[in-house]
Amino acid sequence: GVLMNNRDHRKMMIIDGKTVFSGGMNLADEYINLEHPYGKWKDNGIKITGEAVWNFTIMFLNMWNSYRKDDEDYKKYKYDFSKENLEQNGYTIPYGETPLDNEIVGENVYLNIINQAQKYVYIMTPYLIIDTDMINSLILAAKRGVDVRIVVPGIPDKKIVYSLTTSYFETLIKNGVKIYKYSPGFIHAKSVMADREAALIGTTNMDYRSFQLHYEDAVLFYQAPVVEELLEDMDKIMDESRLYT
């Protein structure tokens, strides 16, 4: 019964051990707006080259080998970057979430970012179904003067999940957290940006299933150019969104 609940929610494409693509996007037409079941579909994807790809390779092979034991030698999939003249730009830390250990890594990374933020935290998430720890972190950040903004879909994909999401609005808004609804449609991105220094792009939604039950992956960036890119993206999304009151 428990295993039926544990879903592989990771999205990754690894090419020759050199490049990885990850983020919120699945392989389906609505993700590239060929179809519009819920208005405009907004997502975030990330491309990474360099040593950080190895983390993804291991995540993939661990999952692959849980069903087939035919790739025991991981090292043959490791690309040697020592010959490449790669530019170092900040820190890139990919990590995985598994429901099989007793560590809620996905949620803890969110909490750490929110708890350490000093100026602002911007979050994009399709669902907002959060526990007391997360509610308190968001509220305490807002109360100590951090500009906390959460962007959720304007057009829902799942009605029940959406009504659960909106049930958290009142408590958060009353305590200074700003909620934005993405007017053009459905936001599927799972991204966090704090103080123009740290950013998070991954597959982890802000909900119970992602934090507790799913296999997820994400990348934490610190003082990397992509933080600036994400900030620009988020500013644009908030311009298209409506502040919920």
Side-chain angles (χ1 to χ4, degrees):
V2 175
L3 281 173
M4 292 302 287
N5 244 335
N6 299 147
R7 162 166 171 250
D8 180 12
H9 194 242
R10 293 173 180 172
K11 301 103 171 48
M12 58 181 77
M13 179 167 79
I14 306 158
I15 302 158
D16 296 337
K18 281 180 81 164
T19 309
V20 68
F21 291 90
S22 188
M25 278 171 268
N26 293 306
L27 296 176
D29 285 346
E30 67 260 28
Y31 289 81
I32 51 172
N33 281 294
L34 285 181
E35 290 182 7
H36 302 272
Y38 315 108
K40 185 179 172 189
W41 191 285
K42 162 66 189 160
D43 217 323
N44 276 350
I46 186 84
K47 175 190 176 189
I48 297 170
T49 50
E51 298 288 351
V53 176
W54 180 231
N55 287 29
F56 276 99
T57 309
I58 290 172
M59 274 190 259
F60 179 90
L61 290 170
N62 280 348
M63 188 66 83
W64 182 259
N65 279 338
S66 60
Y67 291 99
R68 311 164 55 99
K69 288 281 184 278
D70 56 359
D71 270 328
E72 296 294 342
D73 177 21
Y74 287 13
K75 281 286 190 286
K76 65 184 178 191
Y77 297 104
K78 192 177 200 305
Y79 184 82
D80 181 10
F81 281 100
S82 61
K83 299 183 289 289
E84 309 264 330
N85 190 17
L86 285 177
E87 188 191 340
Q88 290 289 327
N89 46 16
Y91 297 91
T92 302
I93 308 160
Y95 60 93
E97 167 70 285
T98 164
L100 303 182
D101 59 10
N102 291 314
E103 191 80 38
I104 45 168
V105 178
E107 181 166 15
N108 287 341
V109 175
Y110 272 76
L111 290 170
N112 278 330
I113 294 175
I114 296 161
N115 292 342
Q116 290 175 46
Q118 290 174 2
K119 298 186 194 78
Y120 51 89
V121 178
Y122 298 162
I123 298 167
M124 295 199 282
T125 180
Y127 315 117
L128 186 70
I129 301 168
I130 46 180
D131 60 16
T132 316
D133 289 346
M134 185 62 74
I135 293 166
N136 287 343
S137 275
L138 291 164
I139 289 173
L140 286 172
K143 286 189 171 179
R144 69 173 185 268
V146 177
D147 183 5
V148 183
R149 303 182 186 190
I150 304 172
V151 187
V152 297
I155 302 172
D157 69 334
K158 302 177 179 75
K159 295 289 189 285
I160 293 173
V161 181
Y162 195 68
S163 57
L164 274 170
T165 289
T166 53
S167 70
Y168 291 89
F169 289 179
E170 192 184 348
T171 309
L172 293 171
I173 291 168
K174 211 167 58 188
N175 288 285
V177 176
K178 298 185 189 83
I179 309 270
Y180 286 80
K181 282 186 172 184
Y182 178 60
S183 306
F186 187 70
I187 199 143
H188 191 257
K190 306 99 171 49
S191 309
V192 185
M193 205 281 313
D195 294 346
R196 220 170 178 163
E197 272 201 327
L200 173 66
I201 296 171
T203 67
T204 317
N205 296 319
M206 282 187 86
D207 68 17
Y208 175 79
R209 297 201 66 85
S210 274
F211 287 152
Q212 304 278 352
L213 299 171
H214 290 170
Y215 291 88
E216 304 281 3
D217 72 78
V219 190
L220 184 62
F221 298 96
Y222 184 69
Q223 293 184 344
V226 73
V227 179
E228 204 63 34
E229 283 179 54
L230 183 62
L231 178 58
E232 281 174 32
D233 184 49
M234 287 178 151
D235 279 340
K236 201 164 101 250
I237 292 304
M238 281 184 289
D239 284 345
E240 296 177 9
S241 302
R242 186 168 59 83
L243 182 63
Y244 187 80
T245 53

